[in-house]
Amino acid sequence: QVQLEESGGGLVQAGGSLRLSCLAFGNLRPDDRFGWFRQAPGKDRESVAAITWRGSGTDYADFANGRFTISTDRARNTVYLQMNSLSPEDTAVYYCAADRPPYGFEFDYWGQGTQVTVSS
C-alpha cells in the first residue's frame, strides 16, 4: 500500500515556475514507479512525467519536455515536479500516482491532487 500527498500548487503568472511535491508513505521499493498527471476542466486526464523510485526511467509528455523536471528524494520520501516557463495552458489539477511491478496499464495509487493556475 502506498499513500500520496501532493502539495505546492497555487497561482502563478505566465512564465513563472512552481515545484510540486508528492510525499509518499509506504514500503517504497527501487522499482516502484511514480508519475505526475494533470486534468484541466473539460479535458481528459493526461500524463505529465514518470520516474522510478530509484530515480531512473524518466519519461515526459511532449509538452513537458524541456520545461518540467521530475525527480525523487528518497531521504525525504518525496517525488518532485519542477515546472518552469508555465503558460495558461498548464492550468489543471495535478495528481501524483504510484505503481508497483508488474506495472499495469493504470497506476494503482493516487493522491488527492493540487491545483495549479497560471494567469496570463
Side-chain angles (χ1 to χ4, degrees):
Q1 188 80 358
V2 178
Q3 292 180 302
L4 305 168
E5 290 184 3
E6 304 98 332
S7 62
L11 175 64
V12 64
Q13 287 189 329
S17 298
L18 279 176
R19 187 177 76 163
L20 305 183
S21 300
C22 174
L23 183 59
F25 300 92
N27 184 18
L28 305 178
R29 305 161 192 167
D31 290 327
D32 287 343
R33 182 176 61 166
F34 288 83
W36 284 98
F37 294 78
R38 71 183 188 182
Q39 187 165 22
K43 294 188 177 181
D44 293 335
R45 185 178 65 202
E46 59 182 350
S47 175
V48 178
I51 193 170
T52 63
W53 187 235
R54 73 171 77 243
S56 63
T58 55
D59 186 44
Y60 294 93
D62 287 345
F63 65 80
N65 239 327
R67 297 191 301 132
F68 296 0
T69 303
I70 189 171
S71 62
T72 61
D73 185 339
R74 285 179 283 175
R76 290 179 168 82
N77 271 26
T78 300
V79 181
Y80 297 105
L81 183 69
Q82 176 68 43
M83 305 187 294
N84 300 326
S85 301
L86 286 163
S87 73
E89 289 70 36
D90 295 314
T91 294
V93 178
Y94 283 71
Y95 297 91
C96 178
D99 197 17
R100 311 203 111 149
Y103 304 135
F105 182 74
E106 290 282 347
F107 281 65
D108 289 333
Y109 307 100
W110 292 84
Q112 80 287 353
T114 186
Q115 176 71 47
V116 171
T117 303
V118 184
S119 63
S120 58

